[in-house]
Amino acid sequence: MTAPELRRYPSVAAYNAAYPACAMPTDSAARHQLRGYHVAMRGLVDDLMSTSGAMIVDFLPGGPPKPGTPDRVGTVVASPWREGPVLVLAQGVSLWAAWRTVVKRWPTHLSEVRDLLNRDDAHPPR
């Protein structure tokens, strides 16, 4: 599977306008309550778009499903600690499969996350 072209949005509002069904909360307190992937609070290196600073990966809408809850299809994004810019890493993916794939491999760079999410085996049949 070929990874889709990277889409970068300058702000959370711009991302939300493009992906209203997979929006990131606009309230900063609600954004920071999301469960995301951040390499044990160190953040990931942005080797895709060269954004300065550490990045966090979010599974939208609502974060990755918790065990025992229904799966959702959504979008996986990266941002500098949930502020703009927002970089879309994968879309139309099982959030449960995406979360498990990422935390199982413990990537430290955004390119690794993107590659993991765009492999055929990261997308279970629906």
Side-chain angles (χ1 to χ4, degrees):
M1 175 181 278
T2 304
E5 180 181 335
L6 286 173
R7 292 190 176 136
R8 182 179 182 186
Y9 298 90
S11 65
V12 171
Y15 163 78
N16 285 349
Y19 291 86
C22 297
M24 183 179 285
T26 55
D27 176 67
S28 62
R31 276 197 307 270
H32 294 292
Q33 289 179 4
L34 286 174
R35 184 169 60 129
Y37 177 74
H38 44 65
V39 194
M41 298 302 287
R42 289 191 327 243
L44 289 95
V45 174
D46 179 2
D47 59 340
L48 295 174
M49 301 294 265
S50 301
T51 305
S52 62
M55 304 286 278
I56 187 168
V57 174
D58 282 304
F59 303 77
L60 301 170
K66 294 183 179 169
T69 62
D71 193 8
R72 297 181 309 280
V73 173
T75 303
V76 180
V77 302
S79 62
W81 298 96
R82 300 186 175 114
E83 304 295 334
V86 177
L87 179 64
V88 176
L89 300 174
Q91 55 190 357
V93 297
S94 156
L95 295 182
W96 182 241
W99 173 256
R100 284 190 313 213
T101 298
V102 170
V103 297
K104 179 180 177 183
R105 298 294 174 98
W106 203 257
T108 59
H109 291 72
L110 292 183
S111 62
E112 295 171 301
V113 173
R114 183 175 185 234
D115 291 347
L116 287 169
L117 296 177
N118 287 293
R119 290 181 4 194
D120 289 334
D121 62 348
H123 301 271
R126 293 182 211 179

